[in-house]
């Protein structure tokens, strides 16, 4: 089967990212710094690839999809980003092909089809390229004990958060109470399992507070505040989500503490979804974040270039 010709994809926003560390060479020969991957070109190339993947969505097109992936991932715009991730180009390619081979659509997954799976995987590689030297939170215990993370509930009780969240119920009683509330008021809150960990990096708190204030100022007074559906996760929990059928990619910016998921679909009830989308995309164009459309929620990862400013903002806002 012939691979379909390329079609123009949606023009994404631009982003700025620091250079990936240059690989060491033998001896002490001076080397030029590694080139900064062009994220404009990367997102454009990914959008074009998605059109072609969509044209090969049938079960009989497996071989053609692999040829397509092998070909397109070697394009300079895509290869530059994937080669700068911890897995490298070859590892990223193998992981993507394996994810595609294992893919089974289900109601829990944010990947509604193969095209969505490829989009989520490739766009989220920007996260792991940016934060490639950051240690992963491997276990739940590491998340709970990390001094780099702060307790959101402590901040919430002191009225220091401008966004909302809900925690996963840990007991049978609490799960029952949540089920009753959803029956009585099915649209009062987003349909989300809630946070497994109510902890976050200080910079992420400052980012979410900043987005929440901007969102509140851009929408009618009756619009609910920004709602966060997921923050930091351990690799242990990420694998737990994968077993349940979620499109939880590995490695992940969530497991590094630099990514969050923000509810989108629910805000359509208030006519505010598009406003929130534009706010997030504007920050991506400014080089502050990486954004991945995952349907009901959007994945947002902080860029390293914004880390220092947001840390100062957190300290000023919290008075520390």
């Amino acid at each position: 089967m012939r691979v379909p010709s390329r079609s123009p994809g949606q023009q994404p926003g631009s982003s700025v990212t620091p250079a990936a560390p240059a690989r060491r060479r033998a001896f002490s020969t001076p080397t030029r710094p590694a080139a900064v991957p062009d994220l404009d070109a990367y997102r454009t190339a990914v959008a074009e690839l998605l059109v072609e993947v969509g044209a090969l969505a049938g079960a009989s097109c497996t071989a053609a999809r692999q040829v397509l992936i092998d070909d397109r991932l070697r394009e300079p715009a895509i290869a530059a980003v994937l080669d700068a991730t911890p897995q490298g180009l070859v590892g990223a390619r193998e992981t993507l092909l394996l994810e595609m081979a294992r893919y089974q659509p289900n109601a829990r997954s944010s990947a509604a089809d193969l095209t969505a799976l490829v989009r989520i995987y490739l766009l989220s590689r920007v996260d792991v390229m940016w934060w490639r030297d950051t240690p992963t939170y491997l276990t739940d215990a590491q998340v709970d004990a990390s001094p780099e993370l702060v307790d959101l509930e402590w901040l919430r009780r002191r009225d220091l958060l401008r966004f909302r969240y809900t925690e996963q119920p840990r007991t049978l009683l609490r799960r029952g109470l949540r089920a009753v509330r959803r029956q009585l008021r099915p649209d009062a809150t987003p349909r989300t399992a809630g946070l497994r960990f109510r902890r976050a990096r200080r910079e992420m708190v400052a980012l979410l507070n900043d987005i929440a204030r901007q969102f509140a100022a851009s929408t009618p007074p009756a619009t609910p505040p920004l709602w966060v559906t997921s923050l930091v996760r351990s690799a242990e929990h990420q694998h737990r989500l994968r077993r349940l059928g979620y499109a939880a990619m590995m490695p992940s910016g969530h497991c590094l503490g630099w990514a969050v998921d923000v509810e989108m679909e629910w805000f359509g009830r208030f006519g505010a979804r598009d406003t929130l989308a534009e706010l997030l995309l504007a920050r991506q164009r400014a080089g502050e974040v990486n954004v991945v459309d995952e349907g009901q929620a959007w994945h947002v990862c902080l860029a390293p270039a914004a880390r220092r400013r947001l840390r100062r903002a957190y300290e000023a806002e919290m008075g520390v």
Side-chain angles (χ1 to χ4, degrees):
M1 175 179 293
R2 294 181 58 190
V3 176
S5 61
R6 311 185 75 187
S7 303
Q10 180 181 357
Q11 181 67 30
S14 63
S15 185
V16 179
T17 161
R23 293 185 176 86
R24 291 186 178 180
R25 296 183 180 179
F27 310 111
S28 57
T29 305
T31 60
R32 294 180 180 179
V36 177
D38 184 340
L39 294 187
D40 272 356
Y42 179 72
R43 293 184 177 113
T44 298
V46 169
E48 293 173 352
L49 169 60
L50 296 177
V51 174
E52 297 174 297
V53 170
L56 296 172
S60 62
C61 299
T62 302
R65 284 198 300 268
Q66 180 164 341
V67 171
L68 172 67
I69 295 298
D70 284 341
D71 181 35
R72 297 295 183 253
L73 295 195
R74 290 188 176 90
E75 291 184 355
I78 295 181
V81 170
L82 298 184
D83 197 44
T85 65
Q87 288 182 299
L89 172 59
V90 174
R93 168 195 169 276
E94 291 176 350
T95 299
L96 176 56
L97 289 174
L98 184 60
E99 293 284 354
M100 294 174 72
R102 290 177 173 175
Y103 174 73
Q104 293 291 335
N106 67 84
R108 286 176 169 168
S109 178
S110 56
D113 52 31
L114 270 176
T115 303
L117 179 78
V118 175
R119 181 184 70 248
I120 291 168
Y121 179 80
L122 288 179
L123 293 182
S124 66
R125 296 311 88 191
V126 174
D127 303 4
V128 295
M129 176 193 71
W130 277 344
W131 299 103
R132 60 180 298 167
D133 296 324
T134 302
T136 296
Y137 290 107
L138 296 175
T139 66
D140 294 354
Q142 286 182 357
V143 173
D144 289 332
S146 173
E148 296 296 321
L149 306 175
V150 293
D151 183 4
L152 294 183
E153 190 64 13
W154 190 91
L155 296 173
R156 186 191 67 80
R157 290 175 179 174
R158 288 156 179 79
D159 196 30
L160 294 172
L161 298 182
R162 307 278 71 84
F163 58 92
R164 291 183 184 174
Y165 63 89
T166 186
E167 294 184 68
Q168 288 185 13
R170 301 295 183 89
T171 66
L172 185 61
L173 175 60
R174 290 191 175 185
R175 287 195 291 270
L177 290 174
R178 174 176 291 186
V180 170
R181 284 196 298 268
R182 282 182 173 173
Q183 286 181 346
L184 296 175
R185 302 180 63 198
D187 299 313
T189 59
R191 285 276 181 174
T192 173
L195 303 183
R196 171 64 178 82
F197 304 97
R198 66 181 193 201
R199 295 171 63 76
R201 289 186 183 272
R202 293 161 177 82
E203 297 88 343
M204 299 306 294
V205 172
L207 172 67
L208 290 169
N209 273 349
D210 197 21
I211 294 172
R213 280 189 290 266
Q214 188 180 11
F215 181 54
S218 304
T219 53
T223 307
L226 184 75
W227 196 288
V228 175
T229 63
S230 183
L231 280 160
V232 63
R233 303 174 192 156
S234 66
E236 178 183 0
H237 185 57
Q238 193 81 341
H239 285 293
R240 204 178 289 140
L241 293 175
R242 289 176 64 84
R243 289 192 295 271
L244 291 172
Y246 292 95
M249 301 301 176
M250 292 294 295
S252 167
H254 285 287
C255 301
L256 306 174
W258 293 113
V260 303
D261 291 341
V262 175
E263 175 67 30
M264 296 294 292
E265 185 177 282
W266 183 62
F267 285 107
R269 294 177 50 81
F270 308 94
R273 184 191 182 282
D274 291 345
T275 300
L276 179 54
E278 179 52 36
L279 292 178
L280 296 177
L281 291 174
R283 286 175 181 264
Q284 176 171 272
R285 290 191 292 270
E288 186 176 80
V289 298
N290 180 50
V291 175
V292 184
D293 179 352
E294 296 189 355
Q296 178 184 342
W298 279 20
H299 172 99
V300 181
C301 178
L302 181 68
R307 179 181 184 180
R308 180 176 296 181
R309 178 182 68 80
L310 288 169
R311 183 57 177 259
R312 290 198 299 263
Y314 175 88
E315 292 172 352
E317 190 171 355
M318 304 302 165
V320 296

